[in-house]
Amino acid sequence: MWADTLLILVISICTALLGEGVTWVLVYRTEKYQKLKSEIEKQSKKLEKKKEAHGDVANLDRSKKRKLEQDEEKLKNTNRDLTMVKMKSMFAIGFAFTALLSMFNSIFDGRVVAKLPFTPIYWVQGLSHRNLLGDDMTDCSFIFLYILCTMSIRQNIQKALGFAPSRAASKQAGSMWNPDPNKYKW
């Protein structure tokens, strides 16, 4: 079981490095990506300075508020353009990882690769106990351990290689997990 666990850890490190390598070849080294990334950095720092200078956005007059909203919209559009540049790489990596995942899934099918120190919540048990025999829900399947390792390792590899977005840019860019708090105020 320990050998399988370590092998899955090595597999997730290698696939994360492979994914970042493909992304570097297809995206990160292109001139368009470099230009958009520097533009996002510049816009997000500019927007952060404006917000700090003005203080509370609700107390601004209309023209300043409109200008701030235009800057935010410009930043969102630039982020959207950057995402579109990354899209071809995402498709290539998704296709390759699906093939690798199915291959590794067939190799580790039905084998307990780790023992969880907790019992997963009900809706996660289908993934954590996938294709395993028995009723011990602390047994861990390949797919669950691989997903956990890859999620944590890939983020750290991106940070180490300098490919992760800066804190200022990710803070300014609203997403599903970090929505703009002022967007839906009445």
Side-chain angles (χ1 to χ4, degrees), residues 50-104:
K50 281 186 179 181
K51 283 185 177 180
E52 286 176 4
H54 294 305
D56 189 21
V57 178
N59 296 335
L60 292 177
D61 63 351
R62 277 190 179 188
S63 63
K64 288 182 181 179
K65 194 172 187 178
R66 190 175 308 127
K67 179 68 175 156
L68 199 61
E69 288 173 355
Q70 287 174 347
D71 288 344
E72 286 176 346
E73 191 64 33
K74 188 176 178 184
L75 180 61
K76 286 178 187 176
N77 289 337
T78 309
N79 268 322
R80 187 192 68 229
D81 293 344
L82 187 67
T83 301
M84 294 306 290
V85 167
K86 289 181 179 181
M87 194 65 70
K88 65 181 177 182
S89 168
M90 285 190 244
F91 281 124
I93 290 172
F95 182 72
F97 282 178
T98 302
L100 284 172
L101 189 63
S102 65
M103 180 186 74
F104 290 129

Side-chain angles (χ1 to χ4, degrees), residues 15-28 93 161 163:
T15 56
L17 286 171
L18 176 71
E20 289 306 309
V22 169
T23 305
W24 181 80
V25 168
L26 295 176
V27 177
Y28 294 145
I93 290 172
L161 296 176
F163 297 147

Side-chain angles (χ1 to χ4, degrees), residues 1 5 111-121 124-130 132-142 144-145 148:
M1 186 164 63
T5 303
R111 287 169 53 183
V112 176
V113 296
K115 199 78 160 154
L116 299 174
F118 58 91
T119 302
I121 52 178
V124 176
Q125 288 177 1
L127 189 62
S128 68
H129 201 71
R130 185 181 186 113
L132 296 180
L133 300 174
D135 294 330
D136 186 4
M137 291 300 154
T138 60
D139 289 343
C140 182
S141 66
F142 160 77
F144 187 68
L145 185 61
L148 288 177

Side-chain angles (χ1 to χ4, degrees), residues 11-41:
I11 289 170
S12 65
I13 290 170
C14 290
T15 56
L17 286 171
L18 176 71
E20 289 306 309
V22 169
T23 305
W24 181 80
V25 168
L26 295 176
V27 177
Y28 294 145
R29 69 184 183 135
T30 63
E31 186 177 316
K32 188 173 184 179
Y33 174 81
Q34 297 293 333
K35 181 181 153 200
L36 286 171
K37 186 177 177 188
S38 65
E39 195 173 316
I40 286 174
E41 289 293 322

